Amino acid sequence: MSDSRRLDDLLADCARGSETALAELYRLTSPHLFAFASRILRRKDWAEEVLQECYLAIWQNAARFSAEHSHAMTWMTRIVRNRCIDQLRRPGLERPDPDGELVDAWADDAAGPLGRLQDAQDSRRLAECMKQLDAKQRMAIAMSFFDDLSHGEIAKRLESPLGTIKSWVRRGMERLKRCLS
């Protein structure tokens, strides 16, 4: 059984209330998630605190996890990232960043309100165009772009030949391009 499938199964068991599944999930994933939180927060004590909150959130939200939409590790990493950001945004928080590296790491080119409105409209157009695709094309494109899977990984998941997956993605992208033009 692959590591990814094992994590999916453990999350499903957590959703059913299995504390042993949560313990195993913690054993398998906490080193990676702790290192991730430590890189963002730059303090071991904060990373430990955030990680504790995250596993509680994982336990409470395990039923919301869908292996069809995301990898288990990606889903859990996103929870940790969001909690770390929340931690850094707390008012009056002492922030260890003497060289400004943390500020530089979080700097982004995020759009302002008008840009976000345009992005929302573009997202709605994309969603409408995605609905027009065949189910197999839509699934292959979603797995490729949203889950960041290779064509080979998609072929394994969908139990279809690699050439077929490539055709679905290519044809679906052509249809999306025409729809969005």
Side-chain angles (χ1 to χ4, degrees), residues 32 35 38:
H32 171 76
S38 295

Side-chain angles (χ1 to χ4, degrees), residues 133 141 169-179:
L133 298 178
I141 288 172
V169 171
R170 182 178 44 77
R171 289 181 185 141
M173 292 301 293
E174 288 170 356
R175 286 182 66 188
L176 282 176
K177 185 177 177 181
R178 283 192 306 271
C179 179

Side-chain angles (χ1 to χ4, degrees), residues 11-179:
L11 279 171
D13 291 343
C14 286
R16 290 187 286 275
S18 171
E19 293 178 13
T20 56
L22 180 64
E24 179 67 4
L25 186 68
Y26 180 86
R27 186 187 70 75
L28 292 172
T29 60
S30 63
H32 171 76
L33 295 177
F34 177 74
F36 180 70
S38 295
R39 281 193 307 272
I40 294 171
L41 298 171
R42 295 181 158 213
R43 281 191 47 176
K44 182 181 174 186
D45 56 335
W46 288 356
E48 289 169 349
E49 180 182 331
V50 164
L51 206 60
Q52 183 178 5
E53 293 172 9
C54 289
Y55 278 98
L56 179 61
I58 290 166
W59 171 258
Q60 292 170 337
N61 294 293
R64 293 182 181 173
F65 170 73
S66 169
E68 296 169 3
H69 293 107
S70 176
H71 288 289
M73 198 63 185
T74 304
W75 183 75
M76 291 186 293
T77 301
R78 196 173 304 127
I79 290 171
V80 172
R81 178 188 169 275
N82 291 341
R83 293 287 171 135
C84 288
I85 291 170
D86 290 346
Q87 173 77 12
L88 291 171
R89 288 181 177 162
R90 288 186 181 161
L93 184 70
E94 169 198 346
R95 291 186 180 95
D97 189 22
D99 58 1
E101 187 177 325
L102 186 61
V103 171
D104 292 342
W106 287 104
D108 64 10
D109 297 324
L114 291 177
R116 288 195 302 268
L117 178 61
Q118 180 63 44
D119 290 346
Q121 290 169 343
D122 291 345
S123 295
R124 280 192 292 278
R125 283 185 56 222
L126 177 60
E128 287 301 315
C129 290
M130 288 286 286
K131 287 179 187 177
Q132 295 176 18
L133 298 178
D134 297 334
K136 292 178 180 180
Q137 289 175 335
R138 186 172 45 250
M139 193 177 324
I141 288 172
M143 292 173 125
S144 178
F145 290 93
F146 301 129
D147 290 339
D148 200 27
L149 297 178
S150 70
H151 290 150
E153 292 169 324
I154 296 169
K156 286 180 186 174
R157 279 209 181 169
L158 298 181
E159 298 176 351
S160 297
L162 179 61
T164 301
I165 298 300
K166 288 180 178 182
S167 294
W168 288 346
V169 171
R170 182 178 44 77
R171 289 181 185 141
M173 292 301 293
E174 288 170 356
R175 286 182 66 188
L176 282 176
K177 185 177 177 181
R178 283 192 306 271
C179 179

